[in-house]
């Protein structure tokens, strides 16, 4: 085949680079409607998180707008929604109450700078150490938290709220059987709103959560003195916000990767989160991170896959608040509660708790999943649950691997030499018991330690081998270590004899 036949024209390359939504009307429709559904669901959530942080509802709505729009451009995970979140509100709320709103904004900007630095340093690579059992626990805990967040909206409310919620759930279950052109959550919200307005049913509405903003945010600097005292005041809160925000964002990105069977750049996402928080801070928002519930609405329920849905979610949010505020205020909370209940049901990994799965799953992995869920539900903090679950998984893994290290002895027929064959991974957990596995008094004069089937990982293992040699030498016996692979030999050569505490 000639080179001319295989050449790709500039027009073809340009067409391939175009986003799907520019060339596929079906994708465009999906992304636009998904963005609208997410925007509607963002309004009460953002208002609620504003209350948690102790700021005006408009601050949370501004943050959701700027976070979503900015991250749609600079983020590493397409179709993921970032906005004001409860986790961030819990972290920076005390700063606002103790020092004022200006300090909160300054902390948001500093948190963004920290996130950019952490992203550039490669903190996203730590995600590879999060085990699957922790990820499953994270997803299930997320589903539980989403559902629990709806419980207050179903407590001490007028009785019509309950049939409205049931009706909304029924619409989302059965409407997709008729058509999937329009997202079922949007249909449910519209129909329930029309019913309550037409019948004059008095139920809690979005407007009851707080006043919606009537104008766009205006950029400005935080109203704080630019001194070292201010920096020391905001730094702890900014660091905590940066870590919690990155943890939730990266876990959510990994979850979306699994759902969509696509890869995303976690480093770009980390840096993007920082940029989005800096932009949000200079526009007077309360900051945020990936919003897991709304991301599930966008990706899993509505089927969005591109950055357009994320951009439109933020854009629609401001349009709905500024232009259609009175209409949006009349949306019954029951409609949004029904959407979030459906999201929690769809998010939960039901297969993970099926009896057949539990019978086959190792007890340690079940324990890690349960501990992750319990910590998240108890603290309402996904980051804490992920850290505790990961540490638990590492401890269980270390104990399991430690048992794999074994020592067997073979004595020569003439009785002058004994060969100890060490197998397994030698590290701090397994090497602790290594010294006690040798017979120091009953061994012949020459001892050979064969490490052909072992690997030396750390200084603890080298110290243990030094201790074994020392004990034999104290009894007048010679020791020879053989079979070290290249990395183990290099580590042993560099450290042996230098770890006095091991003797």
């Amino acid at each position: 085949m000639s080179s001319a036949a295989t050449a790709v024209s500039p027009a073809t390359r340009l067409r391939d680079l175009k986003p799907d939504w520019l060339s596929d009307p079906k994708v465009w429709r999906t992304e636009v409607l998904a963005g609208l559904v997410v925007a509607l669901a963002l309004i009460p959530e953002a208002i609620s998180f504003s209350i948690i942080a102790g700021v005006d509802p408009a601050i949370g709505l501004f943050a959701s707008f700027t976070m979503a729009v900015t991250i749609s451009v600079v983020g590493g995970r397409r179709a993921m929604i970032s906005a004001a979140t409860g986790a961030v509100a819990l972290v920076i709320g005390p700063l606002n109450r103790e020092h004022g709103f200006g300090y909160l904004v300054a902390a948001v900007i500093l948190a963004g700078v920290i996130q950019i630095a952490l992203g550039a340093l490669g903190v996203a690579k730590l995600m590879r150490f999060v085990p699957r059992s922790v990820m499953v626990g994270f997803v299930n805990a997320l589903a539980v938290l989403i559902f629990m967040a709806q419980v207050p909206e179903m407590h001490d409310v007028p009785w019509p709220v309950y049939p409205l919620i049931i009706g909304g759930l029924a619409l989302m279950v059965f409407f997709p059987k008729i058509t999937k052109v329009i997202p079922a959550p949007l249909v449910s919200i519209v129909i329930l709103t029309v019913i309550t307005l037409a019948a004059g049913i008095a139920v809690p509405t979005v407007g009851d959560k707080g006043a919606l903003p009537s104008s766009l945010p205006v950029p400005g600097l935080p109203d704080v003195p630019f001194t070292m005292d201010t920096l020391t005041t905001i730094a702890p809160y900014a660091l905590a916000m940066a870590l919690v925000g990155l943890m939730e964002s990266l876990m959510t990105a990994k979850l979306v990767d699994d759902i969509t069977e696509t890869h995303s750049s976690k480093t770009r996402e980390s840096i993007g989160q920082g940029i989005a928080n800096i932009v949000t801070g200079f526009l007077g928002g309360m900051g945020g991170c990936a919003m897991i519930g709304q991301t599930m609405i966008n990706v899993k329920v509505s089927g969005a896959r591109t950055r357009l849905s994320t951009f439109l979610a933020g854009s629609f949010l401001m349009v709905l608040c500024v232009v259609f505020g009175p209409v949006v205020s009349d949306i019954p909370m029951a409609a949004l509660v029904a959407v979030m209940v459906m999201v929690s049901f769809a998010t939960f990994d039901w297969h993970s708790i099926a009896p057949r799965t539990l019978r086959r799953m190792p007890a340690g992995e079940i324990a890690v999943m349960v501990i992750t869920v319990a910590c998240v539900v108890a603290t309402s903090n996904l980051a804490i649950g992920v850290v505790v679950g990961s540490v638990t998984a590492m401890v269980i893994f270390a104990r399991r691997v430690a048992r794999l290290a074994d020592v067997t002895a073979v004595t020569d027929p003439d009785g002058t030499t004994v060969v100890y064959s060490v197998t397994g991974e030698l590290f701090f957990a397994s090497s602790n018991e290594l010294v006690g596995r040798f017979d120091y008094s009953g061994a012949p004069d020459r001892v050979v330690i064969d490490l052909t089937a072992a690997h030396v990982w750390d200084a603890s293992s080298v110290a243990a081998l030094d201790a074994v040699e020392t004990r034999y030498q104290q009894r007048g016996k010679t020791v020879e270590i053989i079979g070290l692979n290249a990395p183990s030999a290099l580590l042993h050569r560099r450290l042996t004899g230098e770890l006095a505490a091991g003797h």
Side-chain angles (χ1 to χ4, degrees):
M1 186 179 292
S2 67
S3 59
T6 58
V8 179
S9 68
T12 301
R13 284 198 297 267
L14 181 61
R15 186 175 65 249
D16 292 340
L17 289 173
K18 287 198 304 183
D20 292 341
W21 50 268
L22 277 178
S23 55
D24 190 339
K26 184 178 180 181
V27 173
W28 168 269
R29 182 178 62 241
T30 299
E31 300 297 311
V32 171
L33 294 177
L36 180 57
V37 174
V38 172
L40 290 169
L42 273 173
I43 293 173
E45 295 278 306
I47 294 174
S48 298
F49 298 146
S50 300
I51 295 170
I52 292 173
V55 299
D56 189 81
I59 303 302
L61 292 165
F62 286 155
S64 296
F65 160 61
T66 54
M67 287 292 298
V69 169
T70 305
I71 206 68
S72 69
V73 178
V74 300
R77 174 63 259 179
R78 292 180 297 171
M80 191 168 77
I81 304 297
S82 290
T85 61
V88 168
L90 287 169
V91 170
I92 61 175
L95 178 63
N96 178 61
R97 287 188 287 272
E98 294 173 15
H99 298 279
F101 181 66
Y103 283 83
L104 181 150
V105 172
V108 170
I109 296 171
L110 179 58
V113 174
I114 294 173
Q115 286 178 328
I116 292 175
L118 291 174
L121 290 172
V123 71
K125 294 178 182 178
L126 294 176
M127 287 302 298
R128 73 182 70 177
F129 295 106
V130 178
R132 182 186 178 280
S133 52
V134 173
M135 192 67 191
V136 172
F138 168 82
V139 170
N140 290 345
L142 161 64
V144 172
L145 286 184
I146 292 174
F147 181 82
M148 289 176 61
Q150 312 315 310
V151 172
E153 304 297 338
M154 296 183 276
H155 177 68
D156 195 23
V157 293
W159 70 264
V161 168
Y162 303 109
L164 285 172
I165 292 175
I166 294 172
L169 291 171
L171 281 168
M172 284 182 282
V173 169
F174 295 108
F175 186 80
K177 299 181 185 299
I178 300 173
T179 178
K180 294 184 179 180
V181 173
I182 304 175
L186 179 59
V187 173
S188 177
I189 292 170
V190 171
I191 291 178
L192 293 188
T193 303
V194 170
I195 289 174
T196 54
L197 291 176
I201 302 173
V203 291
T205 63
V206 170
D208 296 332
K209 289 288 184 180
L212 302 181
S214 57
S215 61
L216 294 174
V218 178
L221 295 174
D223 185 17
V224 294
F226 292 91
T227 63
M228 187 57 66
D229 287 341
T230 299
L231 181 61
T232 55
T233 299
I234 67 174
Y237 296 94
L239 178 60
M241 175 184 164
L243 294 175
V244 169
L246 279 186
M247 178 74 73
E248 293 210 17
S249 299
L250 295 177
M251 288 295 290
T252 306
K254 191 172 187 298
L255 178 60
V256 177
D257 287 354
D258 294 340
I259 292 173
T260 61
E261 298 181 353
T262 57
H263 175 72
S264 62
S265 171
K266 305 304 184 296
T267 297
R268 178 177 173 181
E269 183 61 40
S270 301
I271 296 173
Q273 289 289 329
I275 295 172
N277 272 305
I278 292 173
V279 172
T280 298
F282 281 119
L283 287 170
M286 58 181 275
C289 61
M291 203 168 193
I292 307 166
Q294 271 62 27
T295 297
M296 289 300 99
I297 294 176
N298 196 46
V299 175
K300 200 163 187 178
V301 179
S302 301
R305 293 292 183 271
T306 76
R307 298 179 184 275
L308 180 63
S309 59
T310 306
F311 177 83
L312 290 178
S315 302
F316 283 150
L317 174 64
M318 275 294 97
V319 172
L320 289 170
C321 291
V322 175
V323 180
F324 299 102
V327 176
V328 173
S329 296
D330 288 332
I331 294 175
M333 283 301 300
L336 299 176
V337 168
V339 171
M340 297 310 293
V341 169
M342 180 61 71
V343 169
S344 69
F345 184 85
T347 301
F348 197 93
D349 186 351
W350 297 100
H351 176 73
S352 67
I353 61 170
R356 183 178 179 184
T357 303
L358 295 176
R359 282 195 299 268
R360 297 184 175 186
M361 191 74 66
E365 297 204 20
I366 295 175
V368 169
M369 181 179 69
V370 172
I371 288 171
T372 302
V373 173
C375 287
V376 172
V377 173
T379 62
S380 296
N381 190 319
L382 290 159
I384 291 177
V386 170
V387 171
V388 173
S390 297
V391 170
T392 303
M394 290 177 186
V395 171
I396 293 174
F397 173 76
R399 287 176 59 86
R400 185 182 303 160
V401 175
R403 297 193 190 100
L404 298 179
D406 193 21
V407 179
T408 57
V410 177
T411 305
D412 281 356
D414 58 8
T416 60
T417 303
V418 61
V419 179
Y420 286 97
S421 295
V422 181
T423 60
E425 307 299 320
L426 300 183
F427 64 112
F428 62 89
S430 60
S431 61
N432 285 335
E433 298 179 0
L434 185 66
V435 178
R437 303 293 298 275
F438 294 85
D439 181 6
Y440 300 101
S441 300
D445 291 339
R446 184 170 181 268
V447 177
V448 176
I449 302 176
D450 185 358
L451 296 173
T452 302
H455 186 95
V456 179
W457 286 102
D458 59 8
S460 298
S461 303
V462 176
L465 292 172
D466 283 355
V468 172
E469 286 191 81
T470 300
R471 292 194 184 188
Y472 277 120
Q473 289 168 356
Q474 288 171 347
R475 291 166 174 79
K477 300 173 182 181
T478 60
V479 180
E480 180 183 3
I481 296 177
I482 64 172
L484 285 166
N485 58 36
S488 299
L490 178 63
L491 181 65
H492 184 266
R493 188 164 54 249
R494 188 167 68 242
L495 297 179
T496 186
E498 302 297 329
L499 306 169
H503 294 281

